[in-house]
Amino acid sequence: MSLSTAIRDVADVKVVDLSGRITLGEASGQLRSTVKELLDSGATKMLLNLGDVSYIDSSGLGELVSAYTTARGRSCTVKLLNVQSKVQDLLQITKLYTVFEAHTDEATAVTSF
Amino acid sequence: MSLSTAIRDVADVKVVDLSGRITLGEASGQLRSTVKELLDSGATKMLLNLGDVSYIDSSGLGELVSAYTTARGRSCTVKLLNVQSKVQDLLQITKLYTVFEAHTDEATAVTSF
Amino acid sequence: MTDARKLRLSLESTLDSVEAAELIVQRMAELNGFDPDQVHQIGMGVRETMANAVIHGNGLSPDKSVRFDASIDEQAFRVRVADEGSGFDPDSVADPLDKGGLLLPSGRGLLMMRAFFDEVEIGSSVDSGTRVRLVKYRTKGAGGTTQEEDQ
Amino acid sequence: MTDARKLRLSLESTLDSVEAAELIVQRMAELNGFDPDQVHQIGMGVRETMANAVIHGNGLSPDKSVRFDASIDEQAFRVRVADEGSGFDPDSVADPLDKGGLLLPSGRGLLMMRAFFDEVEIGSSVDSGTRVRLVKYRTKGAGGTTQEEDQ
Ligand SMILES: Nc1ncnc2c1ncn2[C@@H]1O[C@H](COP(=O)(O)OP(=O)(O)O)[C@@H](O)[C@H]1O
Ligand SMILES: Nc1ncnc2c1ncn2[C@@H]1O[C@H](COP(=O)(O)OP(=O)(O)O)[C@@H](O)[C@H]1O
C-alpha cells in the first residue's frame, strides 16, 4: 500500500498521521475509508497530518476535498498539518488553500478548533 | 542519434571520437558503418576514443568485437582509448579486456601501434 | 545531454501504465539535465494526462491502448498522449477555480497539466479520441527561441 | 522508502520498450533508496533481459507482447519478464568467456544479467515462451535473510 494511516487522539481532536502518497487507486480509497470510519465514530475535529506525504496528485487532492465536504456535512471540521512544499504548491495552483486551514505546529493546530 | 562519431588523423592513426551510447539499434549501426568506411579507405591503425561513451550494452560490446575482428581480417589493428569506468567493468565481466589493448593517454596510444 | 531522448510506446489502459509513464519521463528528464523541480513537474503533468487517457478516454478497457511519445531536445521536453476514447470538449469543462468548482472532488487534472507544462494542446474528436501535446521548455519562457544549453 | 514499488505492464515487442523498461526500473530503484551503482546495474540487467524477450523471444512481432513485472520490498528489487516466444535452452548457450565465444559478436546478455543481479532464474518452454526472474538484494549476499533497511 502506498499510503498508510494512523490515528491519534490529542485532546478532543482526531489526528490522522498519513504517510506515503495520496494518489490514484488504492491510496485514495485508504484515505476515504479512514475518514469515514472517524465520522462514523462521531469525530467532530479532524487534523490530517501530511508531514510524511510527499506526493499528491489531482485524484488525491479530490480525496482531501471529499474528506472536507463529507466531514462538513456531518458537522466535523477538517484541518491540515505540516503540508510539504510540493503539496503546498498544489494547494496554491488549485486555490484549495482558500478551503483548508493549515498549520505547521500540532499544539497550535489542536487548540485552534 | 544516440551515438555520434568524428574521425581525426593523428600521424598514421585514425582516431575515432565516439560520443554518446553504443547500444541496441541505431547506435550500433553507426559504429559499424564508421569502421567499415575507414577500412574501405585503407586504414591499418584505428584508435576508438571512448572518453565520451558512458554507456554500452551487450549489443554495443558485440559491435566493438565485430569492429576488432573485421579490422583484423583486413590487417587493421583496433585499440581503445579512455575507457570509462562503467565500460571498463563490462570489459572485465566479459573478459574482453583480454582482447582489447586500452590506453588512457592519446599520444602513448598513437605511438603504441 | 546523455541519452534516452526519444521514446514511442503503446501502453495498456491501466493505472500501472500511468505510473510507468511518470517514471519514464522523470528518468528521461533527469538524465537530460532538467532540474529536480522540472523533473517533478514533468512527471505530474504526464501523470494527469495519462490518467485522463486511460480513465476518461479508454475507460480502463483492456481492448484499448494509449499511444505515448516523449522526446527531448536542446529546447524542451515534449510529450504526446493519444487515447482511443470518444473525446471531449475542453472548453466546456467546469473551471475548478470557480466558486462552484472549488469543492468538487474532481476536475483539477487539466489545470495541473497547464500549471506544469508551458504548452498544452488538446485535440479531441468523437471518432479518433483525444490527443494531448505537452511542451516544457528547459528555460521558462523560452518558447520558440533557439538556444544552446551548456551541459 | 517512498513510492513506485510495484508495477505490472504489458509492453510491445519494440526496442523502445527495452529502453522504457530500463528507465522505469532505474527510477524505481532510485526512488527506493538503491545506490547509483545498483541503479545502473538493475537498469542494465533489465535492459538485457528485455532485449532478449523482444528480439529472440517475440522476434519484434507486433502481435506479441512482453509481460513485465517489477517490485521492490525491504530486501530486494524483483523483476519478471515473460515473452511469447518459443523458448530456448539456457544450458546449451555457448559460454562467451570460452576461447571460442570471446570473439563472437553476440552472446553476452545472459552473462551480464547474471553479473548484475544476485539471482537469475530462467524458465523456458516451446509452448509458453521464456520467463526470466531477476532478484537484486539491497545488501549484497543478503539472499533469504530478513533485514531492515534504515531509510
Ligand atoms: N482523454 C480524455 N477523454 C475524455 N474525456 C476527458 C479526457 N481528459 C479529460 N476529459 C474530461 O474532462 C474532465 C476534466 O478533466 P480533469 O481536469 O483532468 O479532471 P478529472 O480527471 O479529475 O475529472 C474529465 O472529468 C473528463 O470528463
Ligand atoms: N527470451 C529468449 N527467447 C528465446 N531465446 C533466447 C531468449 N533469451 C536468450 N535466448 C537465446 O540465448 C542466446 C544467448 O543470449 P544472450 O546471452 O542474451 O546473448 P545475445 O542476445 O547477444 O545473443 C541468444 O542468442 C538466444 O539464442
Side-chain angles (χ1 to χ4, degrees):
Chain A
M1 195 86 74
S2 50
L3 180 72
S4 63
T5 58
I7 298 161
R8 289 183 286 129
D9 285 291
V10 181
D12 56 347
V13 176
K14 297 287 180 186
V15 179
V16 184
D17 295 313
L18 297 158
S19 168
R21 297 151 46 101
I22 314 179
T23 54
L24 208 58
E26 286 178 27
S28 295
Q30 170 77 8
L31 173 59
R32 197 177 322 171
S33 59
T34 302
V35 168
K36 185 178 178 310
E37 207 175 281
L38 286 173
L39 291 177
D40 287 347
S41 73
T44 59
K45 300 174 182 178
M46 212 183 289
L47 184 62
L48 303 181
N49 178 6
L50 302 181
D52 283 332
V53 173
S54 53
Y55 197 98
I56 298 189
D57 63 8
S58 77
S59 171
L61 281 180
E63 285 302 326
L64 287 182
V65 173
S66 284
Y68 178 87
T69 55
T70 308
R72 197 176 56 174
R74 296 174 66 175
S75 306
C76 173
T77 307
V78 172
K79 300 186 180 185
L80 305 181
L81 179 65
N82 292 328
V83 178
Q84 298 298 293
S85 66
K86 291 220 185 326
V87 176
Q88 186 57 47
D89 290 347
L90 285 186
L91 295 182
Q92 291 292 332
I93 290 167
T94 57
K95 286 202 183 159
L96 286 173
Y97 72 94
T98 64
V99 170
F100 288 104
E101 185 176 318
H103 292 266
T104 52
D105 176 63
E106 183 172 313
T108 313
V110 165
T111 54
S112 79
F113 279 88
Chain B
M1 193 88 75
S2 52
L3 180 72
S4 63
T5 58
I7 299 162
R8 289 182 286 129
D9 286 289
V10 181
D12 56 346
V13 176
K14 297 286 179 184
V15 179
V16 184
D17 295 313
L18 297 159
S19 169
R21 298 153 45 103
I22 314 180
T23 55
L24 208 58
E26 286 179 25
S28 296
Q30 170 77 6
L31 172 59
R32 198 178 320 171
S33 59
T34 303
V35 168
K36 186 178 178 307
E37 206 176 283
L38 286 173
L39 291 175
D40 287 348
S41 73
T44 60
K45 300 173 181 176
M46 212 183 290
L47 185 62
L48 302 181
N49 178 8
L50 302 181
D52 285 331
V53 173
S54 53
Y55 198 97
I56 298 188
D57 64 8
S58 77
S59 171
L61 281 179
E63 285 300 326
L64 286 182
V65 172
S66 283
Y68 178 87
T69 54
T70 308
R72 196 176 58 174
R74 296 174 67 174
S75 306
C76 173
T77 307
V78 171
K79 300 185 180 185
L80 304 182
L81 180 64
N82 293 329
V83 179
Q84 297 299 293
S85 67
K86 293 222 185 322
V87 175
Q88 185 57 48
D89 290 346
L90 284 186
L91 295 181
Q92 291 291 331
I93 290 167
T94 57
K95 286 202 184 160
L96 285 174
Y97 72 93
T98 63
V99 170
F100 289 103
E101 186 176 317
H103 292 267
T104 52
D105 176 63
E106 182 171 314
T108 313
V110 165
T111 54
S112 78
F113 279 87
Chain C
M1 231 166 290
T2 49
D3 49 275
R5 271 180 277 181
K6 206 167 183 324
L7 211 57
R8 188 174 172 78
L9 299 172
S10 169
L11 295 168
E12 286 179 308
S13 302
T14 63
L15 299 189
D16 275 9
S17 291
V18 177
E19 296 282 349
E22 181 174 18
L23 293 168
I24 289 168
V25 296
Q26 284 176 337
R27 183 70 179 165
M28 283 177 74
E30 183 180 69
L31 289 173
N32 286 283
F34 286 83
D35 69 40
D37 277 344
Q38 290 176 315
V39 168
H40 175 77
Q41 292 167 352
I42 288 167
M44 284 222 100
V46 164
R47 179 184 188 81
E48 297 297 334
T49 309
M50 278 292 296
N52 283 351
V54 307
I55 298 171
H56 300 306
N58 291 351
L60 297 170
S61 163
D63 301 327
K64 292 180 174 174
S65 58
V66 176
R67 178 54 61 181
F68 176 84
D69 288 86
S71 69
I72 296 179
D73 60 26
E74 307 292 314
Q75 278 79 47
F77 199 120
R78 293 166 211 275
V79 178
R80 283 169 193 268
V81 174
D83 63 47
E84 305 183 80
S86 30
F88 74 111
D89 176 11
D91 293 332
S92 62
V93 170
D95 185 345
L97 301 183
D98 268 1
K99 258 221 139 58
L102 204 58
L103 287 179
L104 292 180
S106 64
R108 295 175 186 84
L110 298 175
L111 172 66
M112 282 167 62
M113 287 155 53
R114 293 190 178 114
F116 293 138
F117 275 84
D118 297 312
E119 292 177 19
V120 176
E121 200 184 283
I122 301 176
S124 201
S125 82
V126 179
D127 304 325
S128 59
T130 301
R131 297 165 306 288
V132 179
R133 201 180 60 84
L134 307 168
V135 183
K136 175 124 187 135
Y137 292 100
R138 288 182 180 273
T139 314
K140 189 128 182 124
T145 67
T146 305
Q147 54 181 18
E148 292 299 314
E149 289 289 313
D150 50 352
Q151 339 174 1
Chain D
M1 233 165 288
T2 48
D3 49 278
R5 272 180 276 181
K6 206 168 185 321
L7 211 58
R8 187 173 173 80
L9 299 172
S10 169
L11 295 168
E12 286 179 308
S13 302
T14 62
L15 299 190
D16 274 10
S17 291
V18 176
E19 297 282 349
E22 180 175 19
L23 293 169
I24 288 168
V25 296
Q26 284 177 337
R27 183 69 180 167
M28 284 176 76
E30 184 181 67
L31 289 174
N32 286 282
F34 287 82
D35 69 39
D37 277 345
Q38 291 175 314
V39 169
H40 175 78
Q41 291 168 353
I42 288 168
M44 283 221 100
V46 165
R47 179 184 187 82
E48 296 298 334
T49 308
M50 278 292 297
N52 282 352
V54 306
I55 298 171
H56 300 307
N58 291 351
L60 297 172
S61 163
D63 302 326
K64 293 181 174 172
S65 58
V66 176
R67 178 52 63 182
F68 177 83
D69 288 86
S71 68
I72 296 180
D73 60 26
E74 308 291 314
Q75 279 78 48
F77 199 119
R78 294 166 211 276
V79 178
R80 283 169 192 268
V81 174
D83 64 48
E84 305 184 81
S86 31
F88 75 110
D89 177 10
D91 294 333
S92 62
V93 171
D95 185 344
L97 301 182
D98 268 2
K99 258 223 139 57
L102 205 56
L103 288 179
L104 291 180
S106 64
R108 293 175 187 86
L110 297 175
L111 172 65
M112 283 166 62
M113 286 155 55
R114 292 189 177 113
F116 293 137
F117 275 84
D118 297 313
E119 292 176 19
V120 177
E121 201 183 283
I122 301 175
S124 201
S125 82
V126 179
D127 304 325
S128 60
T130 300
R131 297 165 305 288
V132 179
R133 200 180 60 84
L134 306 168
V135 184
K136 175 125 190 136
Y137 291 100
R138 287 180 181 274
T139 314
K140 188 124 186 131
T145 66
T146 305
Q147 52 181 19
E148 293 299 313
E149 289 289 314
D150 50 354
Q151 333 173 7

